[in-house]
Amino acid sequence: MPDHLKYNKNFDKLSDDEKNLFDEAKKSIEDFVEKSVEISDVNHATRNVHAKTHSILQGEFIINPDLSEDLKYIFDKEKYEIIARISNANFKINRGPKDFPAYGFAFKIKDEAGRTIANYPLVNFPLFPINSISVFLKLFTNINRFYLKKIKSLFPLMISAYKILPSAFNSSFLSYVYKFFKKRNDFILSHNFYSVGAYRFDDKMVKIKLRPQNVQRNYLKKSGNRKKIRSYLKDQDYIADVLIKICYNLKEQPINELNKEWKNTPIIKIGEVRFDKNSVLNPSLCDHELLSFNPCESLEIFRPVGKIQKLREDAYKISFQTRRKMNMLLKYK
């Protein structure tokens, strides 16, 4: 294999115009979270995306003993404690048992003292339909405002949504839309989960995939996701491979073109996540609602790469700080 492409800060840089648009987006996040109790009709403030928690799990990340030394050196232990949150991507909590099947699987790797080593928020769709930071920020801001102002924000939202169409119509993205449609009714734990954007792996840049081992696709077909996960982990363990792809060149593994699949780079298993039977925690506790999986709070060698990834740092902070403030006022426990 050729030498890997090394990380540099230029991949993350935003223009002045993009920074100004981001300031508007941050204000819309704060406004949304402050009103999230009313938006979702619940007794606590929620996130402005991935609002609904399906489950909180306690488990382990076990390093692949056969990992090559040029990758294995980055880990100082054979296994680490992790906590995971499984969620639905919707901005608003749906009370019904049936959600649009856009799921999140975020996990936090911790050291022996409970400090965060790395946060990896993954989703069950590997690509993102928007490459333009400006288009993304305008769309994101207008979605938040739509939930707050409804009709007044509908026209700007429609314009923003229209502008994403050109980047969504490419072979990689449409191929995955078709695969996603075929799996729409599958059990949530049977899905693969992906990082979408890239992450540092020391000086390397990688994409991450979580691939479950031997999970039944049609498990408890007619139940809601929270009940399915709890029932599944009452009877058996959940194990998933943690896989990476390494960036060698930007033509075949682009960093800031998130609507394109990475090609011609090997898939490497770096370890497994394992959740033993009865590892499900109470998802309704305030401490669990306040869990943050901000990837920018990882150790520097594991932080996200790319412009859209860079936006997560302040977006996660504002969401977390506002949720904490509101839940203290609401005396949510």
Side-chain angles (χ1 to χ4, degrees):
M1 291 297 296
D3 291 337
H4 63 271
L5 192 63
K6 292 185 177 181
Y7 167 76
N8 72 71
K9 293 181 179 179
N10 290 328
F11 290 117
D12 309 332
K13 285 185 177 178
L14 301 176
S15 69
D16 289 339
D17 286 343
E18 289 166 347
K19 290 176 183 177
N20 290 334
L21 287 170
F22 190 31
D23 287 339
E24 291 184 45
K26 288 187 283 188
K27 181 63 170 68
S28 76
I29 293 171
E30 184 177 8
D31 292 343
F32 182 102
V33 176
E34 286 180 347
K35 294 290 186 181
S36 61
V37 172
E38 300 169 31
I39 291 169
S40 288
D41 189 23
V42 290
N43 66 344
H44 63 278
T46 72
R47 295 161 172 82
N48 66 304
V49 289
H50 287 270
K52 185 174 185 177
T53 302
H54 289 307
S55 196
I56 302 290
L57 309 176
Q58 188 84 42
E60 291 181 326
F61 172 44
I62 303 165
I63 307 305
N64 180 5
D66 299 322
L67 193 61
S68 62
E69 289 302 321
D70 64 322
L71 297 172
K72 196 173 186 178
Y73 76 91
I74 206 167
F75 301 108
D76 61 356
K77 293 170 58 181
E78 294 180 356
K79 61 182 180 180
Y80 298 85
E81 181 183 342
I82 62 172
I83 191 165
R85 176 179 184 258
I86 303 173
S87 60
N88 185 273
N90 204 333
F91 286 58
K92 178 180 178 179
I93 292 177
N94 172 27
R95 294 283 192 163
K98 193 74 173 177
D99 287 302
F100 183 77
Y103 303 129
F105 192 117
F107 67 97
K108 180 190 296 288
I109 304 173
K110 298 187 287 186
D111 65 15
E112 292 175 344
R115 295 170 298 201
T116 298
I117 294 173
N119 284 320
Y120 292 119
L122 312 180
V123 293
N124 66 326
F125 195 84
L127 304 178
F128 194 68
I130 310 171
N131 291 326
S132 166
I133 298 296
S134 297
V135 169
F136 167 70
L137 287 171
K138 289 176 182 177
L139 176 63
F140 182 75
T141 301
N142 285 325
I143 292 173
N144 285 330
R145 288 174 176 168
F146 174 73
Y147 279 103
L148 296 167
K149 299 178 182 178
K150 299 295 183 182
I151 298 301
K152 290 182 180 179
S153 301
L154 180 58
F155 186 64
L157 176 58
M158 291 172 64
I159 293 174
S160 298
Y162 175 76
K163 289 182 177 179
I164 76 170
L165 294 178
S167 59
F169 281 92
N170 69 72
S171 57
S172 290
F173 190 84
L174 293 175
S175 172
Y176 274 105
V177 168
Y178 175 70
K179 293 175 185 176
F180 177 82
F181 180 78
K182 288 172 63 177
K183 287 180 62 67
R184 68 193 184 279
N185 294 319
D186 289 359
F187 175 39
I188 189 170
L189 290 182
S190 72
H191 284 256
N192 295 325
F193 290 89
Y194 310 85
S195 64
V196 182
Y199 284 81
R200 290 184 61 182
F201 202 82
D202 199 358
D203 68 345
K204 301 175 180 66
M205 296 180 289
V206 305
K207 282 196 174 184
I208 301 164
K209 177 180 177 180
L210 203 66
R211 183 180 63 193
Q213 297 181 10
N214 304 317
V215 177
Q216 185 181 344
R217 293 174 57 188
N218 296 320
Y219 184 77
L220 290 182
K221 194 78 173 176
K222 295 183 179 181
S223 299
N225 281 314
R226 183 174 288 192
K227 181 179 179 181
K228 287 180 185 178
I229 294 167
R230 183 173 291 278
S231 176
Y232 183 90
L233 282 164
K234 185 178 180 181
D235 299 325
Q236 55 203 303
D237 304 333
Y238 170 82
I239 304 170
D241 297 329
V242 182
L243 312 170
I244 63 169
K245 289 182 175 181
I246 299 173
C247 176
Y248 293 98
N249 69 80
L250 294 179
K251 183 177 179 181
E252 294 183 300
Q253 301 101 36
I255 298 297
N256 281 312
E257 295 178 75
L258 302 186
N259 63 342
K260 294 183 179 178
E261 184 181 10
W262 279 19
K263 297 179 178 179
N264 297 322
T265 177
I267 297 171
I268 302 167
K269 179 178 175 178
I270 63 168
E272 297 176 348
V273 293
R274 182 185 184 96
F275 301 95
D276 293 337
K277 286 185 286 187
N278 299 312
S279 61
V280 180
L281 306 178
N282 183 353
S284 300
L285 289 178
C286 183
D287 286 348
H288 293 157
E289 183 57 39
L290 287 175
L291 281 170
S292 176
F293 295 87
N294 187 344
C296 299
E297 292 175 353
S298 303
L299 297 180
E300 188 172 350
I301 56 172
F302 296 119
R303 287 182 185 167
V305 181
K307 288 188 173 188
I308 287 182
Q309 291 274 69
K310 179 65 176 175
L311 301 177
R312 285 177 140 163
E313 182 170 9
D314 286 346
Y316 274 70
K317 284 180 182 177
I318 289 167
S319 175
F320 171 74
Q321 290 167 359
T322 310
R323 291 200 319 276
R324 182 173 60 182
K325 176 187 73 175
M326 294 303 297
N327 286 327
M328 287 177 65
L329 291 172
L330 293 165
K331 297 182 180 180
Y332 176 59
K333 296 180 181 180

